[in-house]
Amino acid sequence: QNIPPWSRLGSPLTLSCFTMEYRGGVDFPSEPHLSRPQSNSGTPVIQLRLAGENRKHHEGRVEVFYNGVWGTVCDDDFSIYAAQVVCRELGFVDAESWSPSAKYGRGEGQIWLDNVYCAGGEKSLAQCGSNGFGVSDCKHSEDVGVVCNQKRIAGFKFIRNQGLTVQVEDVRIRATYAHRKRVPITEGFLEVKDGGKWRQICNEEWTEMNSRVICGMYGFPGEKRFNVKSYKLLAKRRKKNYWGFSVNCTGNEANLATCKLGRAIELKGNSTCGKGMPVVVSCVPGRAFAPSVSTGFRKAYRLEQPLVRLRGGAMIGEGRVEVLKNGVWGTVCDDNWNIRAATVVCRELGFGSAKEALTGARLGQGIGPVHMNEVECSGFEKSLTECHFNRDSLGCSHEEDAAVRCNIPAMGFHNRLRLNGGRNPYEGRVEVLAERNGSLVWGTVCSDSWGTMEAMVVCRQLGLGFASHAFQETWYWQGDSSADAVVMSGVRCSGTELTLDQCLHHGKYVHCPRGGGRFAAGVSCTQTAPDLVLSAQVVEQTTYLEDRPMYALQCAHEENCLSSSANKADASSYRRLLRFSSQIHNNGQSDFRPRAAPHSWVWHECHRHYHSMEVFTHYDLISLNGTKVAEGHKASFCLEDTHCDDGIQKRYECANFGAQGITVGCWDTYRHDIDCQWIDITDVKPGDYIFQVVINPNYEVAESDYTNNILKCRSRYDGQRIWTYNCRIGGSVSSEAEETFPGLLTNQLSHR
């Protein structure tokens, strides 16, 4: 396997080095091999850097260069104030958080500082209180890490040595005037902000690998050629202000900040970069972000089959990684999962490089087999299926499902929508920016037909996660009075749209019988959501027929669990019932709770308990051409935790008017022998059919993934017996739809 040496764990080049020396308030060039234990003011001379694998450029294990040696910092007594000092010393405006217990991996060698105490105003970690350099009783399992705010301190003076990483305040692709209104911006002069000023980079030593990194960090899967002549003409007319360094990227980096700094360039005014011109970057947008169908993307990234997909993420470009093998979708085990493998997935799907490689089922657990384990990518594969991996996933469970968060282009979606009047930024009346009489105005959305799917799109567009609730009345939220007019109506979303205006709606001709005001649409959003999945195996193994007399079906008849012909049936006649068990798991990240409050639950006298959802599942028998042949019914149940995974406590039970729901990691089982757990097939003729179960069919409760809410099985009925087979979650039951996964055959690692 071709894994470049710079990417191996333990190599010093995997470290992002942010270096700064403090010498009594004066900045000097750093000299990492020169020992200066004390400055003139008596403060020890140190440099700092962030290190570790699987991290963003603004986070990592804190390492200190002192007395000619790099070492770590122990987490004892460390605080957010100490993290703030570290981040500011590295050129970031502030700290967001800190992590104990070697979150970013264990360091090596010295542990320089222990029991660090900072007030927060120190200019260097060396000014904070501690046991003294090298005085520690810690192990590297206690190495501390920090997460800094990505924003840089304006005008910060970085200490730069060749071979360290690129550190600048900001980076941008500056489009030409003709392209400035295009969204997204895919092409232009590359500029870096340093010392408070925007500067160009000389292209004399610029490579395609450098462009690949820039495109990736801006959310684009690859780079392409551009018209050099036109940019040369533009460059001649413009005043140039070159940056004083070249850049060396391998192409695997997720951000320019992790590329190595190249040689210093002699700045000679207009004569600088005499043999070249300012760097221009031109990127290929993914399908979802191209203004029109991009021939460049189709040519470079066309997939013969969809071999990889993301599931369970709130935002576009994030989710649990799933791969297709022999027509069956499965997950990837997180053993060895890293940013290179995650970036291959992101680029394959039309996004940029990976922001994060997530482990431990951070974006929910999948179902089915674990297809890949110990994935190792060089970072340049066209597909995850081309990477080396171990097909033996013994010991891997869905608690170890790998996931990704990808860089996506800046589309400005969040500028065209806002929430107003809510108690917090995650809720409020929905207000959209619309064109009226030649100008853009804010207005409300008509709440007719407004539901969970529409709310999902709003929360995604604003980057607020999943929908929690969709509101058709918002009188209790005081929005902007100048935005009371309804400017959008008839909104119908499938749930996959990136923006609300991509959904079906009435356009400029607004029709809202109830009007806006108190009936304007509203939403509340949440970072996590439940995810219900039906066990296909349980359904397939428990299906059978029962002939039951009408006099024993009184409760079921009252609840419309029988087909309409039962209304005229004699009490002594029999109904033929297709019975089965349902086992419904919550694989998501939050509990599944009914939307209705307890005071509105419906009491069912026959079953002696409350139903918290009027329609929880649909049961249907369908012909092969899609026609319903049995009058399937809408089943409502009492929701409770029947069983839970080890270590998880049951929270919900139906008895004594208890709280209803399904806890994360638990399942609700409806046995085949309870009322209404069937389809009435008394009037069905022998033949081949599709047996279908749909959970939460009206999307009454928001979930992270609705595609796995449907189960389909093939059924053969001969008039006396029934066979149920080939049960699948979320997809076709036809063998013709099965697709192969050649990558699994050609890139297997030997069993380890």
Side-chain angles (χ1 to χ4, degrees):
Q1 59 200 36
N2 184 22
I3 299 178
W6 57 81
S7 66
R8 291 182 186 133
L9 184 62
S11 166
L13 294 182
T14 62
L15 305 171
S16 277
C17 307
F18 309 93
T19 62
M20 183 71 201
E21 293 193 26
Y22 186 81
R23 301 182 184 170
V26 182
D27 295 341
F28 293 94
S30 60
E31 298 171 0
H33 300 294
L34 188 63
S35 171
R36 286 195 179 95
Q38 299 287 326
S39 69
N40 293 335
S41 65
T43 304
V45 176
I46 65 169
Q47 296 176 49
L48 298 182
R49 69 181 179 187
L50 300 181
E53 279 279 319
N54 273 357
R55 63 186 181 82
K56 301 174 187 175
H57 68 278
H58 55 93
E59 65 179 356
R61 181 176 62 248
V62 179
E63 296 197 347
V64 179
F65 189 76
Y66 173 74
N67 207 23
V69 177
W70 285 103
T72 62
V73 178
C74 182
D75 58 19
D76 292 349
D77 292 340
F78 203 83
S79 67
I80 190 64
Y81 301 112
Q84 289 169 349
V85 173
V86 168
C87 290
R88 286 197 293 268
E89 192 169 356
L90 293 171
F92 298 101
V93 294
D94 203 357
E96 292 185 354
S97 63
W98 65 279
S99 302
S101 307
K103 177 185 175 182
Y104 298 99
R106 301 184 183 192
E108 296 178 348
Q110 288 278 0
I111 298 176
W112 276 128
L113 294 172
D114 187 8
N115 296 111
V116 175
Y117 174 79
C118 301
E122 295 87 350
K123 291 186 177 180
S124 169
L125 195 64
Q127 292 181 326
C128 296
S130 70
N131 293 348
F133 279 85
V135 182
S136 171
D137 59 357
C138 294
K139 298 178 181 178
H140 281 296
S141 58
E142 300 171 82
D143 286 345
V144 78
V146 298
V147 178
C148 301
N149 186 302
Q150 291 192 58
K151 192 174 180 182
R152 294 291 197 175
I153 296 172
F156 186 83
K157 294 181 180 179
F158 297 98
I159 303 302
R160 295 190 172 100
N161 282 341
Q162 187 172 349
L164 298 180
T165 52
V166 175
Q167 301 305 320
V168 291
E169 293 172 46
D170 205 354
V171 185
R172 72 181 181 187
I173 298 175
R174 188 181 180 189
T176 61
Y177 185 78
H179 293 166
R180 212 156 280 175
K181 291 185 178 181
R182 289 188 181 179
V183 178
I185 292 174
T186 60
E187 183 177 296
F189 290 106
L190 179 68
E191 296 186 337
V192 295
K193 194 175 187 182
D194 191 26
K197 294 181 179 180
W198 287 104
R199 305 171 191 273
Q200 301 82 39
I201 299 177
C202 177
N203 74 344
E204 288 179 357
E205 298 180 21
W206 190 259
T207 66
E208 284 187 11
M209 292 297 101
N210 295 351
S211 294
R212 173 183 165 89
V213 171
I214 297 295
C215 290
M217 66 184 278
Y218 279 98
F220 303 114
E223 71 288 345
K224 62 182 177 67
R225 293 182 179 180
F226 56 91
N227 187 335
V228 178
K229 288 183 180 179
S230 62
Y231 279 100
K232 271 189 175 178
L233 288 172
L234 279 171
K236 283 181 180 179
R237 298 178 200 157
R238 288 185 175 182
K239 184 180 179 182
K240 291 177 280 296
N241 181 19
Y242 281 106
W243 192 50
F245 296 89
S246 60
V247 175
N248 291 329
C249 301
T250 65
N252 262 328
E253 298 87 351
N255 192 288
L256 184 66
T258 51
C259 292
K260 295 293 177 285
L261 197 66
R263 69 175 182 87
I265 293 174
E266 187 179 355
L267 300 177
K268 299 181 291 185
N270 289 335
S271 301
T272 306
C273 198
K275 297 180 181 178
M277 59 178 274
V279 165
V280 175
V281 173
S282 183
C283 306
V284 183
R287 283 191 187 94
F289 306 102
S292 58
V293 177
S294 169
T295 54
F297 178 84
R298 190 169 64 232
K299 187 175 181 181
Y301 293 94
R302 183 180 171 191
L303 292 175
E304 297 301 324
Q305 310 164 14
L307 299 178
V308 180
R309 69 183 185 186
L310 302 182
R311 285 290 183 267
M315 314 305 302
I316 186 169
E318 70 174 36
R320 178 179 60 253
V321 180
E322 297 187 352
V323 292
L324 188 68
K325 177 186 178 183
N326 296 330
V328 178
W329 287 99
T331 60
V332 177
C333 188
D334 63 12
D335 293 351
N336 298 346
W337 187 248
N338 60 26
I339 205 77
R340 289 191 305 279
T343 290
V344 171
V345 170
C346 291
R347 291 185 189 271
E348 177 180 3
L349 295 175
F351 307 117
S353 52
K355 287 192 289 189
E356 290 182 86
L358 302 170
T359 58
R362 284 268 302 280
L363 296 184
Q365 296 184 27
I367 57 174
V370 178
H371 283 325
M372 302 177 80
N373 183 24
E374 298 176 342
V375 178
E376 295 183 20
C377 303
S378 70
F380 295 95
E381 294 86 354
K382 292 289 185 186
S383 171
L384 187 69
T385 63
E386 296 176 8
C387 297
H388 293 274
F389 65 95
N390 189 347
R391 65 174 177 172
D392 183 0
S393 57
L394 289 175
C396 284
S397 69
H398 286 299
E399 294 177 356
E400 300 170 83
D401 284 344
V404 298
R405 285 198 176 103
C406 307
N407 286 313
I408 62 170
M411 303 295 288
F413 290 151
H414 60 284
N415 298 324
R416 309 205 300 259
L417 189 74
R418 69 188 185 191
L419 301 184
N420 224 325
R423 296 163 297 179
N424 57 62
Y426 285 82
E427 67 176 23
R429 183 176 81 174
V430 178
E431 296 177 359
V432 297
L433 198 60
E435 187 177 337
R436 289 292 180 269
N437 301 321
S439 60
L440 291 173
V441 297
W442 287 98
T444 58
V445 179
C446 184
S447 65
D448 288 354
S449 76
W450 186 259
T452 301
M453 285 304 191
E454 291 70 37
M456 280 285 200
V457 174
V458 168
C459 294
R460 179 184 300 121
Q461 184 173 349
L462 291 172
L464 298 179
F466 302 101
S468 178
H469 290 99
F471 299 95
Q472 294 189 342
E473 290 189 32
T474 52
W475 53 269
Y476 37 80
W477 286 331
Q478 291 298 315
D480 188 336
S481 59
S482 65
D484 281 345
V486 177
V487 296
M488 195 174 193
S489 64
V491 181
R492 291 289 181 90
C493 304
S494 69
T496 59
E497 296 87 353
L498 301 182
T499 63
L500 199 62
D501 57 13
Q502 289 178 358
C503 301
L504 291 173
H505 58 94
H506 290 155
K508 294 182 180 179
Y509 303 99
V510 174
H511 177 68
C512 190
R514 293 199 300 174
R518 63 174 293 169
F519 296 111
V523 302
S524 63
C525 306
T526 178
Q527 288 296 308
T528 59
D531 182 21
L532 297 188
V533 182
L534 187 66
S535 171
Q537 184 179 10
V538 169
V539 171
E540 191 167 321
Q541 291 176 349
T542 58
T543 307
Y544 66 97
L545 295 180
E546 181 193 9
D547 290 340
R548 194 167 180 83
M550 274 297 297
Y551 63 77
L553 295 169
Q554 183 180 351
C555 277
H557 197 192
E558 287 179 14
E559 294 192 21
N560 298 315
C561 296
L562 303 175
S563 53
S564 58
S565 63
N567 297 334
K568 300 176 182 178
D570 185 84
S572 61
S573 64
Y574 282 75
R575 307 300 295 181
R576 178 155 291 178
L577 308 175
L578 171 58
R579 283 188 174 274
F580 57 95
S581 294
S582 294
Q583 191 181 84
I584 299 169
H585 297 246
N586 182 358
N587 284 355
Q589 296 175 284
S590 63
D591 295 354
F592 185 93
R593 298 294 308 277
R595 181 181 175 186
H599 70 268
S600 63
W601 293 354
V602 179
W603 174 257
H604 284 258
E605 185 65 32
C606 281
H607 299 144
R608 306 295 298 171
H609 60 227
Y610 286 91
H611 288 185
S612 57
M613 290 180 68
E614 189 57 36
V615 180
F616 181 59
T617 55
H618 280 180
Y619 299 154
D620 289 298
L621 198 66
I622 303 169
S623 69
L624 298 184
N625 65 9
T627 306
K628 290 185 180 181
V629 294
E631 294 179 25
H633 64 279
K634 301 172 181 178
S636 58
F637 297 107
C638 176
L639 303 176
E640 66 178 2
D641 296 327
T642 309
H643 298 286
C644 294
D645 292 334
D646 291 342
I648 297 177
Q649 189 74 31
K650 293 181 182 179
R651 294 184 185 176
Y652 307 106
E653 61 177 346
C654 297
N656 302 317
F657 195 43
Q660 293 194 24
I662 307 176
T663 305
V664 175
C666 299
W667 56 93
D668 193 357
T669 301
Y670 304 99
R671 284 173 51 89
H672 54 82
D673 53 3
I674 68 172
D675 261 5
C676 295
Q677 190 59 34
W678 62 57
I679 296 177
D680 182 354
I681 65 166
T682 305
D683 307 317
V684 173
K685 297 177 180 178
D688 288 319
Y689 300 100
I690 293 173
F691 169 38
Q692 178 175 287
V693 180
V694 184
I695 312 168
N696 192 16
N698 297 338
Y699 313 117
E700 190 175 326
V701 177
E703 296 185 48
S704 60
D705 186 0
Y706 287 113
T707 62
N708 55 18
N709 281 31
I710 184 169
L711 174 137
K712 292 183 180 181
C713 304
R714 291 294 296 267
S715 290
R716 176 163 293 176
Y717 176 48
D718 69 358
Q720 297 298 323
R721 296 167 298 176
I722 195 162
W723 292 266
T724 304
Y725 58 98
N726 201 16
C727 292
R728 298 283 183 90
I729 296 291
S732 170
V733 296
S734 170
S735 60
E736 295 173 2
E738 292 187 359
E739 299 179 67
T740 58
F741 194 166
L744 286 185
L745 301 178
T746 57
N747 293 290
Q748 293 166 355
L749 290 181
S750 60
H751 291 215
R752 297 179 177 180

